[in-house]
Amino acid sequence: MDLTYTEEEEDFRARLREWLSGTLPALPPKPAATDWPGRRVYDTGWQRRLHDAGYGDVHWGASPTTRLIFLEETEKAGAPYVGANFVGLLHAGPTIAAEGTDAQKERWLQPVLRGDEVWCQGFSEPDAGSDLAALRTRARREGDHYVVSGSKIWTSHAEVADWCELLVRTDPDAPKHRGITWLAMPMDAPGITVRPLRTLAGSTEFAEMFLDDVRIPVGNRVGEENDGWRVTMVTLSFERGTAFVGEVVACRRVLGELAAHARKSGRWDDAVLRRELALLNAEFSALWRLTQWNVSEAQATGGVPGVGGSVFKLRYSHARQKLFDTAADVLGPAALDAGQEWTFDRLSSLSYTIAAGTSQIQRNIVAERILGLPKGGR
Amino acid sequence: MHFQLTEEQRALRTGIRELLDGRFGRDALRAAVDRPGELDRDLWAELAGAGLFGLCLPEDAGGVGLGLPEAVVVFEELGRALVPGPLVATFLAAGEVPGAVTGETVVTCPYGALLPWADAADVVRGDVAGALATESVDPLTPLHRVPAEAPVPQEATLLYAAEQLGSAGRTLEMAVGHARQREQFGQPIGAFQAVKHLCADLLVRVEVARAAVYAAAVTRDPVEVAAARLLADEAAVRGARDCLQVHGGMGFTWEADVHLHLKRAWVRAGLAGSPRDAEEVLAAAL
């Protein structure tokens, strides 16, 4: 058990810190959290800077420890997070890197890393959310194209995306986990209608998407036809395994800000509140150590994070909600001001126990795949 | 950074687990329950012989020369097996009280307001004037109450946290084992989502507590020790409660082992210093 970093890793940290301190003051002001067109420009601009400085591929090209250091330092410095590049950098990119052909890697990876192209996720459907394998969007083969019809929902960043990682049913007669195919769909193809959905936080970060005979070249298929479920599991293991890691550092920062605010306002004298903050400190301190534990394990086993990500996600998503509920307690009546940053975070945090698989689904995964309890009996 | 058990630490864990499986399995545990207050001196000597009490002492002092992380790995196993006795006090006295390292002298001392195993121990350290025997909730930990609050060294807090972690891991295994085997409505109860979710939450608490306890052993940071202690208490106490729930009526009987884990978890939490103090340490660090 060793919590010290190698000399090489500490060099990386020092160089990154120096670069961040020179780069961050020159960034343009952040757009409003709900302004997705503005955030696309801002987030891709940040990605371009990372790329030009040699950090573009840190999310999937670097070792897990290097990535951990990157996330820790960028968050501590208050740098932007992946934002609108989330799907491209953390889902589609790693999936194509793991499962794509050389030509596909050539075509799609660089534009993501340079911040030239933004991806969205077309997995869920109105009748296939947590039960993702129940998806019905059809793709029939016509020569060297798939012709796709159906609808998708909860499509993050659809409004501002260039590409969509799309799951379609290519064999309706096969058992539901078979017969699914993973396609890269250009968002400017004829037949796509995007209708933004407004979240309870007031933001339009996801959308409904209607697909009416959309033609997608067969060359855009990642993995084999009808093998999309396996490819998807690769994507989801990235999503559940590492996608939330950087946020733990952010939560620890918020906790420090909350304590400072409470000390200033006099709320600190409330022993009940102080206890809540203390327990959150224990929680996020442990979640950070669990992150390091999981990263060390991934580093040792070399690669794709395992189902252990579900353990992390379960605890983290609830802890985050608790953090911003406590923020409301610290703020008092000001917490009801929708313009308050922590109020927006409080509202946004409600998605964490739902997105990327609800807590209930995560518990099933943990129980069945880690603990070996029998399937079924919902 | 390689925040995983080393080969040597894994071997140490395997060694102590095998020793305890053979020497303090279920039958020995239940036999000990039937002889409350009586310390198994032979087991104590075997643990000493395996190097337990001298684990962190230098080799020229008759010790093994290992560190706190190794001690935590070993105490996790002791907690898992519910080994009785003033293990923490004797371990911490090993460099100071003659005979403690070899297991000849059993040492205890008060932690907070509680003094465990006063009658069975050979040496009682600390201010125990006015100590009064109480009827301990845990049949395997006789207790006295002392009027003068005794300090709880950080190492003691951490070693109790390690025991809590081991106990939490064991109740997880017991819950999952029962959920797989017990059938109701024509299928194992582990197929029911409500039972699955209890088991999943048990695991999550164990994993979070383990990361906290191991990290605190490495850093010895007082804030991390406080965090580790609170999370390990939570994992052990709630773990035992949820395990009891999974066992249904059987879990409420004296014959099931789960109540022994719950009661010991309560006692350890009481011996590890005030949770309010730990919370204040964590709050002050913000």
Side-chain angles (χ1 to χ4, degrees), chain B residues 108-201:
Chain B
T108 190
C109 69
Y111 293 119
L114 296 171
L115 172 66
W117 288 100
D119 294 335
D122 303 306
V123 172
V124 180
R125 304 167 94 199
D127 178 8
V128 294
L132 284 176
T134 64
E135 192 185 339
S136 174
V137 65
D138 174 15
L140 290 177
T141 313
L143 289 172
H144 281 65
R145 291 184 62 181
V146 292
E149 288 264 329
V152 186
Q154 183 163 295
E155 288 84 1
T157 302
L158 190 56
L159 294 174
Y160 278 122
E163 285 196 56
Q164 296 287 56
L165 173 61
S167 181
R170 180 74 191 117
T171 56
L172 167 66
E173 287 172 19
M174 287 159 60
V176 170
H178 187 75
R180 274 192 189 139
Q181 164 258 318
R182 167 75 169 163
E183 291 196 3
Q184 293 277 269
F185 306 103
Q187 54 184 330
I189 60 169
F192 296 114
Q193 194 158 252
V195 174
K196 266 184 195 152
H197 289 193
L198 281 174
C199 293
D201 286 341

Side-chain angles (χ1 to χ4, degrees), chain A residues 176-187:
Chain A
K176 68 180 194 174
H177 290 85
R178 319 248 168 89
I180 292 173
T181 299
W182 199 106
L183 298 176
M185 177 173 77
M187 289 298 285

